[in-house]
């Protein structure tokens, strides 16, 4: 059985994966915003080739000297963090004219191209070295499908590069794949995350009452690291989180909320089917007070229907413990509303997904996969925050186990 696991190639993890929706590195922030609004995907890949003109972007402008390569990924969180700065709130129309490279993190090696024939263990090594996404050529696509996408590329993000489609591979894909062969690693998966040393006490956290603007750097970092920002009270009790997964499904107008609200109010703003009317009123008043009327003029900020409020509790990998936190749906209104309804998109409420130090590795893996997150918060019985368990730390354990199996 172990030999079978070692025989797997990267292409085995790509079966059924959709082709990347993409954007040229020569595009503007406004182009990226338009593409995100009209895409069913939360993320877009950014490429060094300009398919619209049939030429490649020179290396000094971010290209690869004639190569057609993916140089990064972006989502609405990048746009929101970018627009939330004081200068950009004052003149969002000018901010949208900036090159899309302004949205990309200045961290090399975040996106790495790999061949479909690469071994699974090689992919794991790349992820452990810092790659957040592996870009893999899709081997089987019908000519008819490719032709259809070529014809539609003039009105939507391009998916074909030099006649080839690509897909993402991320930590979640590898963890999900390993879970199917979890018996090979017995008895390690049954041991607690505490015993295995998987709990990282160094977390991104903000105080409930602190300004959300002070959390922008942490939000951007959590997006890069595929984690989240914990929101705690003065005693270290986990109240909730500001999750990139939630923000990625918001409208760009959430930038105004980030700039004007507290972290606690921001959680409520991005939840419950759209921002509450009272918080929308507060945001508009503070934008006017600070003379940031450009945001009000460029984008319409609307509240959610009054009957859309819901509450729920977070989920824990322990059957005996749970932690309650605010939960919501996401903003879908405004002048530049996205073309797809809330129900048509994969969104996750901002409830904190938690476990306990004695939860088993396998239970936490299943929990994270079920909620489509790359991490699980670890709390004590009194809901005080202990740390975080990530897919990255899990991959380190499995990588070591795989080395021992070879």
């Amino acid at each position: 059985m172990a030999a079978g696991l070692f025989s797997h190639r990267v292409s085995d993890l790509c079966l059924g994966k959709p082709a990347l929706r993409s954007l040229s590195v020569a595009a503007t922030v406004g182009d990226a915003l338009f593409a995100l609004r009209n895409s069913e995907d939360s993320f877009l890949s950014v490429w060094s080739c300009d398919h619209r003109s049939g030429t490649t972007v020179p290396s000094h402008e971010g290209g690869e000297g004639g190569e057609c390569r993916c140089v990064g990924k972006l989502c609405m969180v990048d746009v929101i963090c970018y627009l939330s700065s004081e200068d950009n709130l004052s003149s969002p129309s000018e901010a949208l004219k900036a090159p899309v490279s302004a949205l990309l993190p200045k961290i090399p090696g975040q996106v790495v191209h790999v061949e479909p024939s690469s071994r699974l263990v090689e992919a794991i090594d790349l992820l452990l070295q810092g790659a957040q996404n592996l870009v893999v050529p899709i081997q089987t696509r019908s000519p008819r499908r490719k032709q259809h996408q070529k014809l539609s590329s003039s009105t939507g993000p391009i998916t074909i590069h030099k006649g080839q489609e690509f897909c993402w591979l991320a930590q979640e894909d590898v963890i999900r794949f390993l879970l199917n062969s979890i018996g090979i690693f017995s008895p390690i998966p049954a041991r607690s995350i505490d015993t295995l040393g998987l709990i990282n006490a160094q977390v991104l956290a903000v105080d409930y009452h602190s300004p959300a603007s002070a959390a922008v750097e942490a939000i951007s970092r959590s997006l890069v690291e595929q984690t989240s920002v914990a929101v705690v009270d003065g005693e270290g009790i986990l109240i909730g989180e500001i999750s990139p997964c939630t923000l990625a499904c918001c409208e760009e107008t959430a930038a105004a909320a980030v700039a004007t609200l507290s972290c606690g109010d921001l959680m409520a703003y991005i939840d419950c089917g759209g921002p509450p009317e009272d918080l929308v009123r507060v945001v508009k008043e503070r934008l006017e007070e600070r003379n940031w009327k450009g945001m009000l003029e460029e984008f319409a900020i609307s509240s959610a229907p009054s009957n859309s409020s819901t509450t729920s509790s977070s989920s824990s990998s322990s059957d005996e413990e749970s932690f309650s936190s605010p939960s919501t749906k996401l903003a879908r209104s405004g002048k530049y509303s996205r073309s797809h309804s809330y129900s048509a998109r994969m969104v996750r409420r901002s409830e904190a997904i938690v476990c306990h130090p004695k939860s088993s590795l396998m239970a936490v893996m299943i929990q994270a996969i079920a909620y489509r997150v790359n991490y699980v918060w670890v709390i004590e019985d009194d809901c005080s925050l202990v740390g975080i368990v990530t897919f990255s730390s899990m991959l380190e354990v499995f990588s070591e186990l795989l080395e021992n199996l070879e």
Side-chain angles (χ1 to χ4, degrees):
M1 193 172 180
L5 185 61
F6 286 112
S7 68
H8 284 294
R9 304 292 171 174
V10 166
S11 58
D12 296 328
L13 281 68
C14 297
L15 297 175
K17 274 194 160 291
L20 292 180
R21 306 298 292 173
S22 58
L23 198 68
S24 169
V25 74
T28 65
V29 172
D31 294 331
L33 179 55
F34 177 82
L36 287 166
R37 290 195 212 113
N38 293 278
S39 174
E40 294 183 0
D41 301 324
S42 295
F43 290 88
L44 293 174
S45 56
V46 180
W47 290 73
S48 64
C49 34
D50 187 351
H51 292 266
R52 292 171 296 180
S53 63
T55 61
T56 55
V57 179
S59 57
H60 67 275
E61 296 181 11
E64 293 279 342
E67 280 192 283
C68 187
R69 297 185 65 81
C70 179
V71 295
K73 62 181 291 189
L74 56 84
C75 68
M76 192 61 78
V77 182
D78 297 295
V79 177
I80 291 172
C81 290
Y82 171 75
L83 290 177
S84 65
S85 70
E86 183 173 345
D87 290 341
N88 293 337
L89 282 171
S90 301
S91 183
S93 58
E94 289 300 314
L96 295 176
K97 297 176 184 178
V100 73
S101 58
L103 301 177
L104 299 177
K106 306 300 187 287
I107 304 175
Q110 290 284 296
V111 175
V112 178
H113 281 253
V114 298
E115 292 299 321
S117 58
S118 300
R119 298 170 63 211
L120 173 60
V121 291
E122 294 172 342
I124 294 176
D125 287 342
L126 288 172
L127 293 172
L128 290 177
Q129 290 167 16
Q132 297 297 330
N133 289 88
L134 306 180
V135 181
V136 187
I138 296 177
Q139 293 181 302
T140 55
R141 289 286 181 183
S142 68
R144 183 177 180 180
R145 177 184 174 92
K146 287 187 178 182
Q147 181 63 29
H148 171 73
Q149 291 182 332
K150 285 179 180 177
L151 293 174
S152 65
S153 64
S154 60
T155 57
I158 301 161
T159 61
I160 296 178
H161 306 274
K162 292 187 177 181
Q164 179 69 64
E165 289 180 315
F166 295 81
C167 69
W168 291 126
L169 271 190
Q171 295 173 357
E172 179 187 352
D173 300 299
V174 177
I175 291 292
R176 188 184 297 272
F177 192 81
L178 292 175
L179 186 59
N180 292 328
S181 305
I182 200 68
I184 297 176
F185 306 102
S186 182
I188 298 300
R191 295 174 61 185
S192 71
I193 54 175
D194 187 17
T195 302
L196 293 171
L198 290 174
I199 304 174
N200 183 0
Q202 302 299 315
V203 301
L204 296 171
V206 293
D207 184 82
Y208 182 87
H209 298 288
S210 65
S213 58
V216 171
E217 183 178 347
I219 293 171
S220 297
R221 182 177 166 187
S222 70
L223 176 63
V224 170
E225 297 178 355
Q226 299 182 21
T227 57
S228 185
V229 180
V231 179
V232 299
D233 67 8
E235 298 180 352
I237 301 298
L238 180 64
I239 298 174
E241 66 176 356
I242 301 174
S243 167
C245 294
T246 303
L247 271 176
C249 299
C250 289
E251 302 296 335
E252 63 277 6
T253 53
V258 171
T260 57
L261 297 178
S262 68
C263 290
D265 286 340
L266 178 62
M267 286 196 299
Y269 187 96
I270 64 178
D271 285 343
C272 294
E277 185 177 350
D278 59 334
L279 286 180
V280 170
R281 185 165 54 250
V282 169
V283 170
K284 289 181 177 180
E285 290 174 354
R286 291 178 180 175
L287 287 175
E288 292 177 350
E289 289 172 0
R290 302 175 190 183
N291 200 28
W292 290 339
K293 298 179 181 179
M295 176 62 76
L296 289 172
E297 295 171 356
E298 185 73 19
F299 306 111
I301 304 175
S302 303
S303 60
S306 59
N307 62 350
S308 64
S309 296
T310 60
T311 58
S312 67
S313 60
S314 65
S315 302
S316 169
S317 59
S318 169
D319 294 334
E320 300 176 358
E321 305 289 344
S322 64
F323 171 72
S324 298
S325 62
S327 65
T328 69
K329 298 176 189 175
L330 299 162
R332 282 283 164 227
S333 55
K335 176 182 175 183
Y336 289 120
S337 292
R338 296 189 186 181
S339 60
H340 300 278
S341 68
Y342 166 80
S343 60
R345 298 177 61 88
M346 171 65 73
V347 293
R348 187 181 67 79
R349 295 178 176 180
S350 63
E351 58 197 26
I353 310 302
V354 302
C355 67
H356 297 82
K358 298 306 178 184
S359 298
S360 70
L361 169 58
M362 186 164 66
V364 176
M365 288 175 65
I366 293 172
Q367 183 185 12
I369 289 173
Y371 284 92
R372 299 300 304 274
V373 292
N374 284 36
Y375 61 91
V376 177
W377 298 110
V378 185
I379 62 171
E380 295 287 5
D381 292 343
D382 63 354
C383 296
S384 59
L385 181 61
V386 176
I388 191 171
V389 176
T390 64
F391 279 163
S392 179
S393 62
M394 295 180 193
L395 284 176
E396 290 180 3
V397 171
F398 286 113
S399 177
E400 183 176 344
L401 292 172
L402 286 170
E403 287 181 5
N404 294 333
L405 288 174
E406 280 190 294

